Amino acid sequence: MTLDPCEKCEELLQPYLDRDLTDAEHREAESHLDDCGYCRKRYRFEESLRRYVRQAWAEGMPPELKAKLSALRTPL
Ligand SMILES: [Zn+2]
């Protein structure tokens, strides 16, 4: 297990979060999340951020808050 930034993140996590993987890739992503503390942390963060953003959009969010939220999504 490693806590260093992981190259798998870019490759797997974004499509995983977007539900954009084949079955085989989906399984690969899940087994990687089991093994990799960094990706797991990253995944939880992205997942909760997405949930929050979706909810905020649905409720109608002021533009400056939208801007703040997108700034949170730092590139890997
Ligand atoms: Zn990883």
Side-chain angles (χ1 to χ4, degrees):
M1 172 172 138
T2 174
L3 290 173
D4 292 331
C6 173
E7 66 193 14
K8 283 276 182 192
C9 280
E10 198 62 52
E11 193 184 319
L12 286 175
L13 276 189
Q14 292 304 331
Y16 183 68
L17 284 157
D18 292 333
R19 310 287 185 261
D20 200 21
L21 293 173
T22 65
D23 283 355
E25 287 168 335
H26 191 88
R27 274 193 297 276
E28 193 193 342
E30 290 195 322
S31 82
H32 182 75
L33 282 172
D34 276 347
D35 291 345
C36 179
Y38 178 81
C39 284
R40 204 156 51 229
K41 235 169 89 185
R42 179 89 208 172
Y43 173 72
R44 289 209 194 103
F45 174 75
E46 290 280 346
E47 181 77 341
S48 59
L49 187 59
R50 274 167 195 239
R51 206 175 308 128
Y52 182 67
V53 169
R54 258 198 307 273
Q55 189 187 340
W57 272 97
E59 289 167 0
M61 178 168 59
E64 64 268 21
L65 185 55
K66 280 180 194 169
K68 246 182 232 166
L69 279 175
S70 30
L72 267 179
R73 306 209 51 207
T74 50
L76 291 170

